[in-house]
Amino acid sequence: MATTQQCEMLLTVNGEAHSVIARPADTLLFVLRNKLRLTGAKPGCLNGDCGACTVLIDGGPIKSCMMLAIETVGKTITTIEGLKHSPIQQAFVEHFAFQCGYCTPGFIMNAHALTEKYPDASDDVIQEWLESNICRCTSYREIEQAVKSVLLKKHRND
Amino acid sequence: MVPFDFTYHQPSSIHEAIQLFQTLQQQGKKPMYYAGGTEIITLSRLHLVFTDAVIDIKQIPECQVLDIQQQQLVLGAGVSLTTIEEANPFPLLTKTASEVADRTARNQITLGGNICGQIFYREAVLPLLLADSEVVIAGKDGVQQRSIHQVFQQHMQLQPGEFLIQVKTEQTYLSLPYAHIKRRKQGEVGYPLVTVAALKKDGQLRVAFSGVCPFPFRSQAVEERLNQQLPVNTRIDEALQHLPRPILDDIEGSAQYRLFVLKHTLFDIITELEGE
Amino acid sequence: MIGKSVIRKEAWDKVTGAAKYTNDYVTPGTLHARLVTSPYAHANIQAIDIEKALSVPGVRAIVTGEGLPLTGEDLLDRPPIAFEKVRYHGEVVAVVVADTLVQAEKAANLVRITYEPLPVVGSPREALKEGAPLIHEQLGSYQKGRGIYPEPNTNIAHRTKIRKGNMEKGWAESDVVVEASFSFSPSDHAAMETRCATAEILPDGYIIIYASSQSPFMIKKLISSYFGEDVGKVIVHTPLVGGAYGGKTPVQLELLAYLASKAVGGRKVSVWNTREDDIITSPVHIGLEATVKLGCTNDGYLKAAEILYLFDGGAYSDKAIDVSRAGAVDCTGPYHIENVWCDSLCVYTNHPYACPFRGFGHGELSFAIERTMDLLAEKLQMDRLELRMKNAICPGHTTPTQVLLNNSNVGNLPKCIERLRELIHWDDWQRIEIDARTVRAKGVSCIWKTSTVDTDASSGAILTFNPNGSINLISGVVEIGTGTKTILAQILAEKMKMDIKDIHVKMEVDTQTTPEHWKTVASRGTFMAGRAVLKAADDAIRQLKEIASIVLRASVEDLEVGYGKVFLRDDPAIYVNIKDIAYGYKYPNGNAIGGQIIGRGNYILRHLTYLDKETGAGKPGPEWTVGAQAVEIEFDKRDYTYKIIRAVSVIDIGKVLNEKAAIGQVMGAMSMGLSWASRETFLFDRYERVLNPQLRTYRLLRFGEHPEYIVEFVETPQIDAPYGARGAGEHGLIGMPSALANALSVAAEVPLNELPLVPELIWRKKKGEHHGSI
């Protein structure tokens, strides 16, 4: 299959199918924001360094500035807009785990995937996952507390 | 943002990929094989890479293998580093991989991409150099299996149109005693000041380096010195005399400081593997 | 309501992706700009060839620097686009406007510029050397504001002098003297949202700007004054801002967006920084070279201070002049010294130009002063905290600019020090060897800061009512992440005795409909806007009572407002609901009285003065927040690596308005201070080009590298502030670099007087010590 300058791609975002016309060279972040008007994923560096654009592809966190949209055809994309009333969102609010809020969607998507995949995550695993995102406002302790509170609740419910 | 256009191709077989490369080249294009893509996107932004056709190898079944076949660990070039870490078939490789970039990035970075990349740390190659792995390469003359030592000299010596399909490692190497230390300028994410990986086979240390020189390497001269029957510090001092040149001297650290760090890192590696 | 950890009003927007920032408003049809920037730090521009770039499909205009006015807030020294000469690596030389960002990028890469490189100036000390290349040959002819003293034919943009007491006497009374020098290069704010501005010029001449800014009202004024536009026709919108820390006070991209829009017939143009441009092209965190000499008696009482601050303002002065002045105003740190001599210079170099950074010169000066205090304690063989306690600034003392302190305008530093001493178990140990390689050590520092804002800075607030009696709160404070707008709602809820959920805060600023708040800077939001809100509430209450007095046939004096009602003070059962009078009261027969109630309030800073040119005497700010801080580290003697175990702050905040928010502000500032001190700096090559303009190489503190934080507050009310609260958005940062350096110097047993404190620096210092040279 070859594609030329602009092409049509079928993306599944937050449970909805979208037909998008974009360049094969366009990143997923660009397509989400500029074609689908889903501006929750944030551009912070466009270089894979800050994590503000993190979304989930088939449930796993990915920096959407570093992936071509065309690579996600046939996969399930979840953005912050697709996360409704999740425990991690509630925890971020309760623990004051953000200030300016710009890194928050990326942090939440990563933390959500972490708590879903590793409800027993150790401190090392939490760090390994969350050091992928930069927050410049908080001290990270608030975020740590938010994530741990979700893990603790999952345990209580087991 | 990639500031140029390219066509995107997703072959489903090795043969198709090779064909595509040739056809695109004949059309006057500058095709490029594409795995995780993180480095291509990063360098494109800065106008340091150009391609007008990318050939995504991730759908090729051979590139997605992660399996033990005939007493060999076979790892597809398109397997992500985190996939390898989670499966953990080769603990040294797991450790080395887990120190590359950050975890979210490693969900995308592939084994092949890390080894074949332009960014010169290429740390995932260190365990493979130590384990005398074999690499499977596809090119217009078909698929070949060669020793990594033959193909990887400072960087992967691939001919135009060739691409890495798999890396194969003898099972006996997977459980050897190992050590791995990555030291950074500061903090726990980022490029290395020095990365040292080591395996101990038949009582002999094997050591490979990244961040010391502008290329990863394993050096016979260095290993010979480290395996002498001498006090450890003497061995290290002599080994340092035999490092390839140049020693990196850049924003991560001066050459002198790197050698200081390397000296202690080697000490820690040797101590860790002593008696193993 | 006061003191409660109320969840910020925009919290749910921020966790669901609904929160919108400037770049989220870029709509289809908007044109996109890409900046062409200088690869040289100092060079003449010989030619700009845009022909090839113009031929790229989609390109609409390429704007260059010819014929543009000079800009600047204190000193007009900066062309918005470089003209004839570039003065720093990353300076804007052309702006390419195209239909898409990709087209703009392609074209920007094809703009060919011929440069003639010039010798570069790489530090303030170099800049002051005889024969140093002049960065601004025309310095003498630049327009300047009052109290700005550039020195023509030098690289000095401004000098603030502090002359207090009698230096001869001070040195004569001093038994022990120490002197040391300190330095660090410029670094970056690195807000996660890169700066962004859009501009559109409507057919009727209205200029609509969207900007990620701390200064929307300044943008409007400056566009008017630079380009002769009618100030009423410039309308600036500022939605939520994704981190600022001072970096979004300067007006830069807004001017480019305006010029770009003008070049394409008024179409909407977006100028959005790449991370690389945001790091070096937009203004940066200031660097400093300092020499501090302190004298004290044998029993540790400070008698004299001689201080030289050379701030690295970079290529243009922007607000760096103000930062250098703030450094002078509080030059001694929070200590009582009767004899003070300080020269604080804003020096031009060929570095990216500087602007405010959280702490506004105080984290910088504190590094020099607090390191010197430790050196002095060492020489005296005195407990480091004790030396600070002995000299702690108190009511009755005067500041370097000779302001007499009283019980309201300064907090209680001795109390902060005392509490810190307990929290860090200072008396148990200060340096302890854990094993042959591992040492633990503690470092302390004391902080103070006033806010040197414009003497006539003001803030306004408007309250309107909804038919159900709930209130809309409209203030010009920008929500940059500090939660100030929620605190304003708390202040209003307390005053109106109502549920905070019935207060609706307008988050966005729109300069046409929002009353002005000077700038969202200097930890002044709560104080100034809080006062304005209280006044607006008083105004609304007065109006509510007036109507209610008619309805209830009672005198105004007998009425109270609260709980959604206006009621009789002595018999609350007799009342009228606010919702029934907020839009006028209607009698059963249809007659109506009153009309909608609009509360208005303002606040202007009082009694601030310019500083005397020769002595610095004058009142620079309304109050001084003080505090004491500590850092505990674990140091590896072999590798010179370390781990920050714990960081502690005790700050006199006056009154805690929102506990969790206040702790969050302090911890966040501490984190930023530790990140800066432990790793952040621009790395320059010998041509003064920045080698690390990406987050991959300009590395910030990450999750998991954070220490334990302990934050406590002392409450000494500032009498004229809302509920007594003092500013505290920046203060957590101020003492972190010095406390960390003090701890590491003790641990490594070598003075560490540079930043950032990377292991290689410690190695270099230790090596120098052993071999007698570096």
Side-chain angles (χ1 to χ4, degrees):
Chain A
M1 174 196 67
T3 50
T4 47
Q5 286 218 340
Q6 295 266 334
C7 66
E8 187 178 351
M9 40 188 108
L10 196 66
L11 305 182
T12 307
V13 185
N14 300 332
E16 290 176 359
H18 295 269
S19 170
V20 179
I21 308 285
R23 299 183 311 146
D26 282 333
T27 61
L28 177 60
L29 177 65
F30 176 84
V31 168
L32 288 173
R33 290 178 56 83
N34 296 58
K35 304 279 177 177
L36 297 176
R37 313 304 302 168
L38 291 169
T39 57
K42 296 289 183 242
C45 64
L46 304 186
N47 204 50
D49 301 329
C50 77
C53 67
T54 304
V55 300
L56 305 186
I57 306 290
D58 293 340
I62 284 288
K63 292 175 179 178
S64 63
C65 73
M66 284 285 107
M67 183 172 272
L68 302 175
I70 200 165
E71 291 182 73
T72 64
V73 171
K75 297 182 192 298
T76 304
I77 304 164
T78 312
T79 71
I80 187 79
E81 289 91 344
L83 212 60
K84 306 273 187 217
H85 311 294
S86 68
I88 195 74
Q89 287 166 304
Q90 180 75 38
F92 264 61
V93 169
E94 284 170 5
H95 290 270
F96 284 55
F98 54 89
Q99 291 177 20
C100 83
Y102 198 82
C103 74
T104 313
F107 244 116
I108 286 182
M109 295 315 286
N110 194 13
H112 177 72
L114 166 66
T115 55
E116 292 286 303
K117 184 162 180 172
Y118 292 109
D120 291 317
S122 64
D123 283 4
D124 285 348
V125 170
I126 296 173
Q127 170 168 356
E128 189 194 347
W129 278 62
L130 296 189
E131 70 188 9
S132 304
N133 298 66
I134 300 173
C135 171
R136 191 63 161 161
C137 291
T138 72
S139 74
Y140 293 115
R141 196 180 76 171
E142 303 91 323
I143 295 172
E144 183 184 1
Q145 286 169 340
V147 172
K148 286 185 172 170
S149 77
V150 172
L151 294 175
L152 196 67
K153 267 185 203 151
K154 279 188 190 279
H155 267 267
R156 285 211 196 105
N157 295 342
D158 281 347
Chain B
M1 178 198 56
V2 179
F4 48 79
D5 294 321
F6 53 64
T7 52
Y8 176 80
H9 310 267
Q10 205 174 43
S12 50
S13 72
I14 295 169
H15 179 72
E16 194 188 337
I18 298 294
Q19 286 289 312
L20 260 170
F21 194 94
Q22 285 180 316
T23 312
L24 288 162
Q25 215 173 23
Q26 279 155 13
Q27 290 168 4
K29 292 200 166 194
K30 195 174 174 295
M32 190 173 278
Y33 292 111
Y34 183 102
T38 56
E39 183 176 301
I40 292 177
I41 293 176
T42 299
L43 297 180
S44 297
R45 290 182 63 237
L46 305 175
H47 302 274
L48 296 174
V49 151
F50 175 79
T51 173
D52 46 13
V54 303
I55 302 170
D56 186 342
I57 62 157
K58 291 197 295 294
Q59 296 301 311
I60 299 172
E62 287 88 342
C63 292
Q64 288 299 338
V65 174
L66 192 163
D67 201 7
I68 302 278
Q69 298 172 354
Q70 294 154 354
Q71 279 89 49
Q72 282 189 319
L73 170 66
V74 183
L75 295 171
V79 178
S80 75
L81 295 184
T82 45
T83 306
I84 294 174
E85 291 166 46
E86 282 172 3
N88 193 23
F90 183 5
L92 172 59
L93 180 60
T94 296
K95 176 73 177 136
T96 307
S98 72
E99 298 268 0
V100 172
D102 59 62
R103 195 183 193 285
T104 305
R106 293 197 304 278
N107 284 339
Q108 245 179 300
I109 298 172
T110 59
L111 178 65
N114 186 264
I115 294 172
C116 300
Q118 281 191 35
I119 297 174
F120 59 55
Y121 300 109
R122 305 180 192 108
E123 288 160 284
V125 83
L126 303 183
L128 311 180
L129 291 173
L130 297 173
D132 299 329
S133 300
E134 300 268 307
V135 288
V136 182
I137 290 164
K140 62 178 188 302
D141 304 325
V143 172
Q144 298 176 31
Q145 184 166 326
R146 282 184 265 168
S147 160
I148 191 149
H149 301 300
Q150 234 181 321
V151 184
F152 192 93
Q153 285 148 14
Q154 303 196 349
H155 60 92
M156 286 290 274
Q157 314 274 333
L158 294 175
Q159 298 303 309
E162 288 186 338
F163 72 100
L164 178 70
I165 303 171
Q166 289 170 343
V167 177
K168 294 185 176 179
T169 307
E170 290 294 331
Q171 215 175 352
T172 51
Y173 283 93
L174 305 182
S175 53
L176 290 177
Y178 71 94
H180 175 278
I181 298 177
K182 177 168 181 170
R183 292 280 309 274
R184 298 178 182 82
K185 179 178 188 169
Q186 183 78 299
E188 305 195 21
V189 174
Y191 294 136
L193 261 173
V194 304
T195 298
V196 181
L199 274 184
K200 198 161 191 184
K201 185 166 190 307
D202 308 327
Q204 295 290 298
L205 272 177
R206 297 176 168 208
V207 188
F209 304 83
S210 172
V212 177
C213 300
F215 47 84
F217 65 91
R218 186 181 156 196
S219 152
Q220 199 184 342
V222 169
E223 283 179 13
E224 274 173 17
R225 301 309 180 287
L226 291 176
N227 283 303
Q228 295 173 98
Q229 299 296 317
L230 290 169
V232 60
N233 284 325
T234 315
R235 282 145 61 189
I236 292 171
D237 285 342
E238 286 191 20
L240 293 181
Q241 300 298 319
H242 288 81
L243 289 172
R245 290 288 188 269
I247 304 298
L248 277 170
D249 188 9
D250 60 16
I251 58 171
E252 300 299 333
S254 65
Q256 260 202 314
Y257 177 62
R258 271 195 162 87
L259 290 174
F260 165 81
V261 173
L262 180 58
K263 186 175 165 164
H264 291 308
T265 307
L266 280 172
F267 181 88
D268 291 344
I269 292 267
I270 292 172
T271 313
E272 200 176 327
L273 290 177
E274 207 76 41
E276 288 277 3
Chain C
M1 184 49 54
I2 294 300
K4 272 179 69 179
S5 296
V6 172
I7 284 166
R8 61 172 67 230
K9 285 280 183 179
E10 79 285 14
W12 279 95
D13 278 354
K14 284 182 172 172
V15 297
T16 54
K20 292 245 188 308
Y21 302 79
T22 301
N23 194 44
D24 298 335
Y25 286 94
V26 172
T27 44
T30 304
L31 300 180
H32 296 266
R34 186 74 182 83
L35 309 180
V36 180
T37 61
S38 168
Y40 292 96
H42 201 193
N44 287 321
I45 301 170
Q46 292 185 317
I48 301 179
D49 178 3
I50 58 172
E51 202 179 320
K52 211 167 163 197
L54 274 174
S55 70
V56 172
V59 171
R60 300 299 163 198
I62 297 176
V63 190
T64 54
E66 202 173 333
L68 299 177
L70 289 173
T71 68
E73 278 191 50
D74 295 324
L75 180 63
L76 280 74
D77 61 2
R78 190 179 72 86
I81 301 172
F83 180 59
E84 291 184 339
K85 182 173 168 174
V86 291
R87 297 180 174 89
Y88 70 96
H89 174 210
E91 182 165 3
V92 180
V93 186
V95 180
V96 178
V97 186
D99 292 347
T100 71
L101 205 49
V102 171
Q103 292 164 339
E105 171 74 36
K106 278 183 191 167
N109 198 40
L110 293 172
V111 173
R112 291 279 166 264
I113 302 165
T114 317
Y115 294 97
E116 178 198 18
L118 295 169
V120 291
V121 177
S123 74
R125 288 197 199 275
E126 264 182 48
L128 298 181
K129 274 191 191 146
E130 201 148 326
L134 277 188
I135 294 167
H136 290 269
E137 297 90 342
Q138 306 300 319
L139 182 56
S141 69
Y142 291 155
Q143 281 183 53
K144 58 186 196 309
R146 189 166 163 190
I148 309 294
Y149 312 115
E151 300 179 12
N153 302 314
T154 74
N155 287 316
I156 299 171
H158 176 76
R159 182 192 300 261
T160 306
K161 296 183 199 172
I162 301 293
R163 305 288 184 268
K164 177 185 157 188
N166 177 336
M167 294 310 294
E168 252 174 67
K169 180 166 167 274
W171 295 126
E173 289 169 1
S174 298
D175 303 310
V176 179
V177 175
V178 291
E179 181 175 342
S181 292
F182 308 89
S183 67
F184 48 86
S185 292
S187 50
D188 195 44
H189 305 79
M192 284 299 101
E193 178 205 24
T194 61
R195 297 158 177 98
C196 181
T198 69
E200 180 176 14
I201 306 171
L202 302 178
D204 56 5
Y206 278 88
I207 298 159
I208 313 297
I209 308 257
Y210 276 78
S212 169
S213 172
Q214 294 172 264
S215 320
F217 297 93
M218 194 53 75
I219 293 169
K220 159 180 154 174
K221 287 181 213 170
L222 293 181
I223 286 188
S224 162
S225 80
Y226 297 153
F227 304 106
E229 299 286 359
D230 178 345
V231 70
K233 286 192 162 180
V234 186
I235 300 169
V236 183
H237 297 263
T238 295
L240 296 172
V241 171
Y245 326 110
K248 289 173 180 168
T249 46
V251 179
Q252 183 197 32
L253 299 190
E254 298 80 4
L255 306 180
L256 300 179
Y258 162 79
L259 291 168
S261 175
K262 220 170 162 179
V264 293
R267 287 184 64 183
K268 185 172 173 183
V269 179
S270 155
V271 183
W272 174 50
N273 271 350
T274 61
R275 175 55 64 183
E276 290 81 357
D277 287 348
D278 206 60
I279 289 181
I280 60 170
T281 297
S282 284
V284 304
H285 172 200
I286 208 159
L288 176 71
E289 291 180 329
T291 301
V292 178
K293 187 176 168 188
L294 294 179
C296 70
T297 59
N298 277 327
D299 50 1
Y301 289 98
L302 290 168
K303 289 293 166 190
E306 186 183 302
I307 298 164
L308 179 67
Y309 291 142
L310 305 175
F311 282 96
D312 184 347
Y316 299 102
S317 62
D318 193 71
K319 297 299 282 181
I321 286 180
D322 244 5
V323 174
S324 71
R325 193 196 288 120
V329 155
D330 289 338
C331 63
T332 54
Y335 304 112
H336 169 55
I337 311 178
E338 280 169 359
N339 309 297
V340 181
W341 183 101
C342 171
D343 265 12
S344 181
L345 277 64
C346 179
V347 183
Y348 287 123
T349 66
N350 289 119
H351 286 163
Y353 70 102
C355 72
F357 175 77
R358 200 173 197 172
F360 206 70
H362 289 71
E364 295 74 11
L365 78 86
S366 168
F367 178 64
I369 291 295
E370 293 297 321
R371 278 294 301 130
T372 314
M373 287 296 277
D374 258 31
L375 295 173
L376 186 62
E378 200 180 328
K379 198 161 178 182
L380 283 164
Q381 294 189 304
M382 182 176 279
D383 180 285
R384 291 172 281 153
L385 214 41
E386 184 58 32
L387 177 67
R388 287 171 169 86
M389 183 63 116
K390 277 190 170 177
N391 294 286
I393 198 93
C394 287
H397 296 153
T398 60
T399 73
T401 69
Q402 303 175 43
V403 176
L404 181 62
L405 297 173
N406 61 38
N407 284 316
S408 171
N409 68 6
V410 69
N412 190 336
L413 181 57
K415 206 167 165 186
C416 294
I417 295 174
E418 218 29 74
R419 185 62 189 135
L420 185 82
R421 183 188 285 273
E422 293 163 10
L423 285 172
I424 61 173
H425 307 288
W426 180 254
D427 296 333
D428 293 356
W429 57 268
Q430 289 138 39
R431 184 183 193 278
I432 187 169
E433 305 251 349
I434 305 286
D435 57 43
R437 259 174 75 175
T438 317
V439 185
R440 282 203 180 198
K442 297 168 188 166
V444 292
S445 62
C446 291
I447 60 160
W448 75 339
K449 182 181 183 293
T450 191
S451 299
T452 48
V453 296
D454 280 6
T455 56
D456 61 347
S458 77
S459 185
I462 293 174
L463 307 177
T464 62
F465 285 80
N466 296 303
N468 65 351
S470 65
I471 301 181
N472 304 307
L473 195 171
I474 306 159
S475 152
V477 170
V478 178
E479 184 45 72
I480 54 177
T482 51
T484 308
K485 287 203 147 160
T486 301
I487 304 231
L488 294 179
Q490 284 181 264
I491 288 172
L492 182 61
E494 175 82 15
K495 179 81 182 173
M496 300 296 295
K497 298 188 197 78
M498 61 194 283
D499 193 326
I500 193 159
K501 78 170 175 39
D502 291 327
I503 292 171
H504 305 283
V505 179
K506 183 174 154 69
M507 281 296 157
E508 297 80 5
V509 169
D510 161 358
T511 60
Q512 195 178 33
T513 58
T514 315
E516 175 167 327
H517 177 76
W518 180 65
K519 290 179 186 177
T520 303
V521 296
S523 309
R524 293 293 82 187
T526 301
F527 175 50
M528 291 173 53
R531 282 286 298 258
V533 166
L534 285 175
K535 201 163 165 185
D538 279 333
D539 188 42
I541 288 168
R542 182 186 54 75
Q543 296 173 57
L544 288 167
K545 284 182 181 172
E546 269 173 21
I547 304 176
S549 95
I550 298 166
V551 176
L552 298 175
R553 282 168 271 188
S555 84
V556 166
E557 292 75 29
D558 289 345
L559 300 177
E560 285 257 353
V561 173
Y563 321 103
K565 302 178 174 103
V566 186
F567 55 89
L568 275 184
R569 197 190 304 270
D570 53 329
D571 186 359
I574 298 173
Y575 67 89
V576 58
N577 285 317
I578 288 178
K579 71 179 168 62
D580 295 327
I581 56 175
Y583 278 80
Y585 178 77
K586 194 153 94 177
Y587 288 96
N589 73 351
N591 290 171
I593 57 163
Q596 67 172 294
I597 289 169
I598 302 167
R600 62 177 175 86
N602 63 13
Y603 181 75
I604 189 161
L605 287 171
R606 125 168 90 74
H607 293 174
L608 300 191
T609 67
Y610 294 109
L611 303 183
D612 183 85
K613 186 182 177 188
E614 296 308 324
T615 66
K619 189 178 178 200
E623 59 89 26
W624 278 259
T625 298
V626 296
Q629 299 187 292
V631 170
E632 185 183 327
I633 52 112
E634 186 171 286
F635 178 72
D636 182 325
K637 289 202 285 186
R638 189 196 76 177
D639 291 344
Y640 308 119
T641 52
Y642 61 92
K643 189 172 158 44
I644 304 170
I645 305 291
R646 184 171 295 118
V648 186
S649 289
V650 181
I651 294 180
D652 190 341
I653 196 170
K655 174 78 188 169
V656 176
L657 297 180
N658 180 322
E659 192 183 11
K660 273 194 180 175
I663 291 173
Q665 281 302 299
V666 174
M667 289 201 307
M670 290 166 78
S671 172
M672 187 173 260
L674 289 174
S675 183
W676 164 34
S678 64
R679 64 202 69 201
E680 293 180 38
T681 185
F682 288 150
L683 298 161
F684 296 97
D685 68 8
R686 63 196 178 98
Y687 305 107
E688 301 307 328
R689 293 178 298 201
V690 179
L691 296 171
N692 56 337
Q694 293 192 314
L695 295 179
R696 192 170 293 187
T697 42
Y698 185 96
R699 291 186 204 118
L700 308 172
L701 195 84
R702 285 185 183 250
F703 186 99
E705 295 165 8
H706 57 290
E708 178 195 353
Y709 288 100
I710 299 171
V711 175
E712 283 202 9
F713 297 113
V714 165
E715 296 188 320
T716 308
Q718 176 194 345
I719 293 163
D720 58 336
Y723 305 102
R726 297 175 189 277
E730 305 164 271
H731 303 72
L733 182 144
I734 296 172
M736 282 296 111
S738 47
L740 178 62
N742 285 341
L744 282 169
S745 297
V746 165
E749 299 176 295
V750 66
L752 297 168
N753 297 343
E754 293 162 44
L755 295 175
L757 297 153
V758 291
E760 182 168 3
L761 173 81
I762 308 173
W763 167 79
R764 206 153 32 82
K765 294 296 169 193
K766 288 298 278 187
K767 194 159 84 76
E769 194 187 45
H770 291 147
H771 303 296
S773 68
I774 293 165

